[in-house]
Every structure is written in C-alpha cells, then in structure tokens.
Amino acid sequence: MSRGSGDQNLVVLTLYIIGVSYTFNRMIESIDDKIKYEYKGGAVNDQLTEQELKDQIGIAFKLNSSYSLDDLKELQISIENKSDNLAVYVDWENSTLVVEHSKQSRRVIRISPYLTRDLAIPQTPSLITPKKTLTEKITAEDVLEFDSVAGTYSAKKPLVSISGLEKGGPPQKKLYNDFMNRGKELDFSLQLVLRISDVRVGIAPGINIPPMYLINCPFAVKKLPWTYALPWNKKKK
C-alpha cells in the first residue's frame, strides 16, 4: 500500500472517529435526566412495630422505576386495614408533606377524579373497614392549580421542585449541582395521621375521638446515571 493511500485511510478513519464521537455526544445531551423516588418502607414498618400497629396496618406507594426531572406531581398511596374489628380513619386534614431541604410543611390534599370543591373546606377523614384497602392519589395543596374553563383543580407543579433549586441562591444552586452530579440525595416525607377505633365507636368530635397515630413515610430522591436512559440498558435498577 502506498504512502498516499495510507494517509488517505488515516484521514478517513480520523473523520469517522470524529463523526462517531460527535453523534455519541449529541445522543448523551439529548437523553433526559432521570431520577428515582425510593420509598423507605423499612422505616415505616419499624414505626408500625413500635406503635404496635404492624399487625393492623400496611402502607404502600406505587412509584415508577424512574421519572423525568420535576415529573412527579402526586403520590398513589394504599393503606391496608389488616384487623378483624378495628376502624382505621385517614386524617387527611392533619397530614402533611415535608420537603427536608426547604423545611416546608405542606397541606395534603386527597385528589378526587374531578376536584371541584373549595380547597379551604376541611377534608373528611376516609374510613377503612376491617380487611379492606384504601387506595388514593394525594398531593400538596400548593401543587394544585384551578382550571377556570373546566372548573376543576389538577396537579401542575412537581412535589419536589428540583429545577427550582438551580434558580435559587448559592446554597440552593450548590445543592442542585451536588444532586445532579449524584453527590447528594434529596429527602421528603409524608407525615400520615391515622385514627383507630373499635368499629362500633366511629369518629366524632369531643372526648370519644379516636387516638391519633403519626406515621412518617420517608422518601429518598436519587439522580440516576445517564446510562440508565440508554435504550439498550436492560438493568434499570
């Protein structure tokens, strides 16, 4: 092979490598940032055990394996009444959502299919009868926006505003960069209030109101590596 032919092949190879590198870099840039919300069920089970509720109550959440940034706007919770003769009431009005880095405590709203009522009106507790499970979607009050045309409220903002950190002051921007570089996780929790009584007693104001149990349901928010979003990545843990 002549020197000229070899030089030509080297140029072609160099251009090919540059082209592949450019395409690969553009592909990486086009991949959406993916995050994971992890429910710490073990911590909840420990609390239920400490409060002697492990055999009466089960709490679970339905979450996707990953979300785009600021995509999670509501939570789906399932609360199981495992008992034979106890009435479990979910006290939505006294439950709160807490984002740790902002120290903000937010009112919980149970989302109905067509949420039209005045949000200022207190929410009625939900009853879970023995051996039954309640499944509801909930969010924070400040996430909801009113559609004047449809006349309904819907969740429009993220439960945890990650991109909002980037627009904040130096501490918020640092937290954003640490999170996006996978150097730090974010935390938030649902402070769930339950009231439990004998089925015959019910729930009523005054001296007969059932005792209150506060269950802290914590979540960790993690930035997933960019490789997670590659179409040929089958692990996705």
Side-chain angles (χ1 to χ4, degrees):
M1 181 175 60
S2 67
R3 181 176 177 181
S5 177
D7 290 343
Q8 185 178 11
N9 289 339
L10 181 60
V11 171
V12 171
L13 178 61
T14 301
L15 292 175
Y16 174 77
I17 293 174
I18 292 174
V20 170
S21 299
Y22 175 78
T23 302
F24 187 70
N25 289 334
R26 288 295 301 272
M27 182 180 67
I28 293 175
E29 291 173 359
S30 68
I31 292 174
D32 288 337
D33 290 313
K34 294 293 183 181
I35 60 175
K36 180 177 182 178
Y37 290 84
E38 182 179 286
Y39 168 53
K40 299 182 179 179
V44 172
N45 288 333
D46 289 343
Q47 294 172 65
L48 293 174
T49 299
E50 291 171 4
Q51 300 188 53
E52 299 182 350
L53 296 175
K54 188 67 166 60
D55 295 331
Q56 283 76 43
I57 303 294
I59 300 173
F61 292 85
K62 183 180 180 180
L63 293 164
N64 296 338
S65 59
S66 70
Y67 294 85
S68 295
L69 213 62
D70 294 339
D71 196 34
L72 184 68
K73 298 177 176 64
E74 59 190 32
L75 290 172
Q76 180 171 306
I77 183 173
S78 294
I79 306 170
E80 180 186 4
N81 181 353
K82 302 177 183 179
S83 72
D84 295 318
N85 57 359
L86 295 177
V88 177
Y89 296 88
V90 186
D91 190 342
W92 303 114
E93 199 58 37
N94 287 304
S95 299
T96 57
L97 278 161
V98 179
V99 178
E100 295 302 326
H101 62 264
S102 68
K103 306 301 180 185
Q104 184 181 12
S105 181
R106 305 149 81 189
R107 183 186 177 204
V108 168
I109 298 294
R110 179 175 63 89
I111 303 176
S112 58
Y114 301 99
L115 185 57
T116 59
R117 64 176 177 79
D118 184 352
L119 295 183
I121 299 174
Q123 300 172 90
T124 303
S126 296
L127 168 64
I128 312 173
T129 55
K131 303 301 182 183
K132 295 296 186 289
T133 299
L134 174 73
T135 298
E136 296 283 3
K137 290 184 178 180
I138 60 173
T139 192
E141 183 179 24
D142 57 5
V143 164
L144 296 170
E145 291 185 1
F146 184 71
D147 186 331
S148 58
V149 176
T152 59
Y153 288 91
S154 58
K156 296 294 186 181
K157 302 174 184 176
L159 274 178
V160 181
S161 181
I162 299 172
S163 61
L165 292 171
E166 188 181 18
K167 303 171 185 177
Q172 288 78 27
K173 289 180 179 178
K174 182 179 185 306
L175 179 59
Y176 174 82
N177 290 329
D178 289 344
F179 174 80
M180 296 301 289
N181 292 324
R182 302 180 65 223
K184 189 163 187 174
E185 298 177 359
L186 303 179
D187 299 291
F188 78 98
S189 62
L190 168 65
Q191 306 287 316
L192 183 66
V193 174
L194 303 177
R195 297 185 183 275
I196 301 176
S197 71
D198 187 273
V199 171
R200 296 168 296 177
V201 175
I203 184 169
I207 60 173
N208 292 324
I209 190 169
M212 181 180 76
Y213 296 89
L214 175 62
I215 310 297
N216 177 41
C217 303
F219 296 81
V221 189
K222 304 178 179 182
K223 172 70 168 60
L224 294 169
W226 67 267
T227 53
Y228 184 92
L230 293 175
W232 55 81
N233 184 357
K234 304 299 182 181
K235 295 182 180 180
K236 299 207 169 186
K237 294 181 179 178

